[in-house]
Amino acid sequence: SKAAGRNTWHFFNKTMQESIIARADMERDLRKAIEDNQFQLHYQAQVSSSGQTLGAEALIRWQHPERGQVSPFNFIPLAEETGLILPIGQWVLDSACAQLKAWQKNPLTQDLVLAVNISAKQLHQEDFVEQVKATLKRHDINPARLKLELTESMLVENISDIITKMNILSKIGISFSLDDFGTGYSSLQYLKKLPLNQIKIDQSFVRDLITDASDRAIVRTIITMSHSLDISVIAEGVETVEERQYLLDNGCTHYQGYLFSKPVPINEFEVLLKKG
Ligand code: C2E
Ligand code: CA
Ligand code: CA
Ligand code: CA
């Protein structure tokens, strides 16, 4: 009916209006968050097949003064659209390097590798390589302690430019991990061209590993692929001993997930390290 149609339109319109306002609020708050330093890094252990913690992934947290903790799933996409990911990403890299510097002083932590998520916008900046080098230098960090996580989906545009940048950073010792692997399209041939040290099995394939035969097949294929490329493979989202065992039995080399630790503030991460 006409009335229903009008209501639908009205509803739709109002929703759109609300989401535009919400977006504008969020963008304003995000700018304020950068100014007021409302971000924090949490650290999630990355472990070897024997269970040794080799390092961590740094994951950003936003402590909003009124909304409380906002998930990166809810602000990273907007940060990318607005370009605010550039100052945020630089803050992440800087904080990660400051942490690596602190770890250098202690034999228990000096060999840890810290993985940092890089967004497409950051990587596509003309001076990305210079920014990373300058940050390492400012903090006096061994580049071998830094790992950059790129996603499969960002390797579509300008691939030759990305390969050039990766090669320069790889030559100075930085390592690269390919995040969310399996969710996009990459051929083995194409992966061979990238200076990758690791691929990361997306958690969507790990989640139902025990019950879903096609997820098991995908996971085995990715592990086999990593062996043929002679690089390491890390499974993310490992939550149970059964999942870990299946991955271990099939040749997975590295692990990350709630089974080992949730992402935690630095003091908690260091407590976990001391416990071994
Ligand atoms: P991601 O890089 O794929 O990170 C993995 C996400 O899975 C993290 O969510 C982590 O907390 C979560 N996770 C880890 N282990 C488990 C598990 O065993 N089970 C389950 N269910 N989840 C697990 P988080 O921290 O909310 O981050 C979400 C996404 O936001 C990240 O996905 C990444 O794409 C983005 N992100 C986070 N920090 C940064 C950053 O500093 N820079 C950029 N550009 N993106 C970031
Ligand atoms: Ca990641
Ligand atoms: Ca991922
Ligand atoms: Ca599961």
Side-chain angles (χ1 to χ4, degrees), residues 10-266:
H10 179 76
F11 171 76
F12 182 53
N13 203 20
K14 190 164 178 238
T15 308
M16 279 194 344
Q17 205 177 323
E18 278 168 355
S19 81
I20 290 164
I21 293 168
R23 203 191 124 99
D25 281 353
M26 183 81 126
E27 185 177 342
R28 184 202 57 213
D29 289 2
L30 210 45
R31 286 184 197 280
K32 183 113 175 70
I34 297 167
E35 268 171 42
D36 295 357
N37 208 354
Q38 293 167 8
F39 299 112
Q40 212 192 341
L41 287 183
H42 279 192
Y43 298 80
Q44 186 176 33
Q46 297 191 327
V47 310
S48 71
S49 35
S50 65
Q52 191 196 350
T53 298
L54 303 175
E57 178 178 0
L59 292 154
I60 195 168
R61 296 292 177 261
W62 178 11
Q63 195 59 44
H64 189 288
E66 289 109 40
R67 296 181 218 224
Q69 202 169 99
V70 186
S71 162
F73 283 122
N74 293 328
F75 72 86
I76 293 288
L78 182 66
E80 298 206 7
E81 281 171 45
T82 53
L84 292 172
I85 194 67
L86 298 181
I88 294 171
Q90 184 52 49
W91 177 86
V92 170
L93 194 61
D94 216 67
S95 307
C97 287
Q99 190 53 57
L100 281 169
K101 181 67 187 172
W103 282 349
Q104 265 176 22
K105 297 180 189 112
N106 183 341
L108 188 73
T109 53
Q110 65 188 4
D111 294 329
L112 295 175
V113 171
L114 191 52
V116 169
N117 292 285
I118 299 295
S119 84
K121 268 244 169 65
Q122 280 177 281
L123 187 63
H124 283 121
Q125 289 171 100
E126 217 174 298
D127 62 347
F128 178 71
V129 167
E130 282 67 37
Q131 280 183 38
V132 174
K133 280 184 173 172
T135 309
L136 288 167
K137 202 167 173 193
R138 193 162 57 245
H139 293 279
D140 188 27
I141 300 302
N142 177 356
R145 302 275 84 83
L146 182 65
K147 175 160 72 180
L148 301 182
E149 292 197 4
L150 310 182
T151 62
E152 201 186 0
S153 62
M154 64 201 261
L155 302 179
V156 187
E157 219 181 300
N158 247 330
I159 185 72
S160 65
D161 174 60
I162 292 174
I163 294 175
T164 305
K165 286 171 173 161
M166 287 176 76
N167 277 331
I168 299 170
L169 293 173
S170 179
K171 281 206 182 85
I172 66 169
I174 289 175
S175 60
F176 286 95
S177 182
L178 191 54
D179 204 353
D180 300 347
F181 190 76
T183 61
Y185 170 81
S186 341
S187 72
L188 198 57
Q189 192 57 33
Y190 158 82
L191 282 181
K192 251 173 59 183
K193 297 195 180 112
L194 303 168
L196 288 175
N197 305 80
Q198 184 173 72
I199 50 184
K200 194 177 231 190
I201 306 172
D202 190 68
Q203 54 183 293
S204 61
F205 303 117
V206 177
R207 193 173 303 134
D208 302 318
L209 198 56
I210 301 309
T211 51
D212 189 321
S214 64
D215 283 345
R216 280 199 296 279
I218 292 167
V219 163
R220 287 197 310 270
T221 305
I222 297 174
I223 295 171
T224 306
M225 199 184 251
S226 75
H227 294 325
S228 3
L229 290 165
D230 200 21
I231 60 180
S232 73
V233 56
I234 184 163
E236 74 177 352
V238 182
E239 295 184 346
T240 68
V241 287
E242 291 79 13
E243 287 159 1
R244 177 186 174 275
Q245 193 59 47
Y246 184 84
L247 290 156
L248 193 64
D249 291 344
N250 285 280
C252 187
T253 57
H254 296 73
Y255 303 78
Q256 183 179 348
Y258 295 170
L259 176 64
F260 308 96
S261 167
K262 291 201 167 185
V264 290
I266 189 61

